[in-house]
Amino acid sequence: MKSVVIERPGSLTIETRPLPQPAAGEVRVKVQYASICGSDVHIWHGHNPFARYPRVIGHEFFGRIDAVGEGIDSRRIGERVAVDPVVSCGHCYPCSVGRPNVCSELQVIGVHRDGGFSEYALAPADNAWPLPESIPDTLASLVEPFTIAANITAFLQPTANDIALIYGAGPMGLTAIQVLKGVYGVQQVIVVDRLPERLALAQQNGADRMIDNSQLPLDAQLDGIKPTLIIDAACHPSILAEAVALASPAARIGLLGFSGEPCTLTQQSLTSKELSLFTSRLNSKRFPQVIGWIEQGLLQPEKLVTHTFALSEIEQAMTLFEKQPRHCCKVILKVD
Ligand code: NAI
Ligand code: MN
Ligand code: ZN
């Protein structure tokens, strides 16, 4: 089979590898479509602290089960599935409280173990979620990025009356807009980005107001509006302090970033307004929820997609994704 392999930081190749055999409890997926995420680029460049090399990358993928390991019902062969990349142990403290996404032995498919930019990929059978026919093959890999928004909004508990502010109109900001508007019915979703092209995408994805903070700071453009719910999907370490300053009393703030740089905050800035701060990593078993939302027509995954490439064009696709944020958002890879 052909697989996209990062041999070591900086080295991307398409390799011919032996077909992997599913172990007990696993399924093998014949991958049909996948999508590129910022973390794939980070693994390529050696900027993902969790990655181990050599690695077949790709954690957003879809295909059909074509083989099963011991203990798995062979009737699952042929199922159309989206694969949850979060592999957890099931018995540690975070697993025991329903937070397998921060399992103490967390393994992420495409990061810690081989992923889906490949003709075939292995996954625990429980990670392969069957899809209704109403979700087309070409968009099925986008369930995963929406689970990130599902996870953070589960903490934030949005309501129709919230005034939401989202930093960043990349894939993460756009999925957050769609979930806030389509699922929770939030009446006012404001999005801030530095790139007008990204703000145009935010509008197409349902944002009510777009603010460009490349010239004028955000607070000068908010006209005194105090957001009650803030999601940082831009993740520069300077954003948290600004978000805390702008937030309404009793607001909730959700953080997605992994920067190792310090953010400076006072206790007073948080406590005087009794702000709640939530962090969210990956997803805790949210595939069924997102699949249901798409099936019900609450989300429009096609609105994230700007490009489609063949798997053989992976280097070109990842370079465009990385270097052209004004023109490129989500990239679909056609694998078979
Ligand atoms: P992206 O780079 O495509 O989008 C970020 C957007 O933020 C860009 O459009 C950029 O112009 C904008 N931006 C940057 N600095 C800004 C600022 N100071 N003010 C306003 N806008 C600003 O990235 P993507 O894929 O949307 O991911 C966003 C972040 O989410 C990344 O840092 C990534 O590491 C993180 N992430 C976290 C996950 C989690 O599970 N916690 C999962 C996936 C991504
Ligand atoms: Mn992703
Ligand atoms: Zn665990």
Side-chain angles (χ1 to χ4, degrees):
M1 66 170 184
K2 297 261 185 279
S3 305
V4 174
V5 182
I6 309 298
E7 297 290 347
R8 56 186 175 281
S11 159
L12 181 153
T13 54
I14 298 182
E15 258 181 29
T16 303
R17 294 190 147 197
L19 198 60
Q21 297 308 319
E26 287 186 339
V27 296
R28 185 173 68 202
V29 175
K30 183 173 192 326
V31 181
Q32 292 174 272
Y33 289 92
S35 39
I36 298 176
C37 177
S39 60
D40 299 309
V41 176
H42 293 149
I43 296 172
W44 180 18
H45 296 320
H47 299 157
N48 182 313
F50 311 110
R52 300 286 169 271
Y53 300 89
R55 176 62 59 241
V56 177
I57 53 174
H59 63 270
E60 301 177 5
F61 61 101
F62 156 80
R64 279 194 158 72
I65 294 178
D66 90 315
V68 298
E70 199 189 310
I72 305 304
D73 192 334
S74 62
R75 283 173 294 189
R76 292 203 64 183
I77 291 172
E79 261 180 25
R80 298 171 72 239
V81 293
V83 177
D84 184 345
V86 175
V87 180
S88 54
C89 78
H91 51 73
C92 67
Y93 169 72
C95 281
S96 76
V97 294
R99 311 269 291 274
N101 49 322
V102 286
C103 171
S104 38
E105 293 166 34
L106 177 68
Q107 297 257 308
V108 181
I109 297 174
V111 181
H112 304 86
R113 48 165 92 186
D114 285 340
F117 293 177
S118 176
E119 289 175 320
Y120 295 85
L122 299 178
D126 289 346
N127 287 54
W129 293 96
L131 291 173
E133 291 298 330
S134 60
I135 301 182
D137 295 1
T138 49
L139 298 173
S141 67
L142 298 176
V143 171
E144 195 277 343
F146 278 99
T147 64
I148 310 294
N151 210 69
I152 195 164
T153 52
F155 286 116
L156 295 168
Q157 291 293 312
T159 67
N161 293 330
D162 272 310
I163 300 172
L165 170 67
I166 299 176
Y167 280 89
M172 286 303 106
L174 299 181
T175 56
I177 296 168
Q178 286 203 29
V179 169
L180 290 180
K181 295 298 296 182
V183 176
Y184 291 96
V186 176
Q187 277 156 26
Q188 234 196 110
V189 176
I190 305 166
V191 178
V192 57
D193 202 294
R194 299 162 158 179
L195 303 176
E197 296 84 354
R198 284 284 170 97
L199 289 169
L201 270 181
Q203 185 166 29
Q204 288 159 31
N205 277 268
D208 299 293
R209 185 169 164 202
M210 288 63 61
I211 298 180
D212 182 337
N213 66 344
S214 61
Q215 308 293 327
L216 261 185
L218 176 59
D219 66 344
Q221 301 183 67
L222 269 179
D223 315 320
I225 292 172
K226 296 203 175 304
T228 59
L229 184 161
I230 302 178
I231 296 177
D232 179 8
C235 307
H236 188 279
S238 66
I239 288 172
L240 178 58
E242 183 184 81
V244 164
L246 294 174
S248 161
R252 300 89 80 207
I253 300 177
L255 296 179
L256 290 168
F258 290 96
S259 167
E261 297 302 313
C263 323
T264 308
L265 280 180
T266 63
Q267 294 179 353
Q268 189 183 74
S269 67
L270 294 169
T271 315
S272 61
K273 294 197 273 191
E274 204 177 68
L275 299 179
S276 301
L277 218 50
F278 295 97
T279 66
S280 178
R281 180 175 184 189
L282 304 163
N283 86 93
S284 56
K285 301 238 166 24
R286 299 203 179 272
F287 269 61
Q289 187 174 35
V290 168
I291 290 166
W293 290 344
I294 299 176
E295 207 181 356
Q296 292 165 58
L298 306 179
L299 304 176
Q300 280 78 44
E302 68 279 4
K303 291 192 172 172
L304 304 179
V305 179
T306 56
H307 294 79
T308 301
F309 285 90
L311 188 67
S312 57
E313 302 168 305
I314 182 69
E315 187 156 351
Q316 187 192 344
M318 284 184 45
T319 302
L320 175 84
F321 175 84
E322 178 188 6
K323 309 270 192 216
Q324 305 276 330
R326 289 176 187 269
H327 307 292
C328 182
C329 187
K330 213 64 188 165
V331 177
I332 303 289
L333 297 170
K334 187 172 179 353
V335 176
D336 63 353

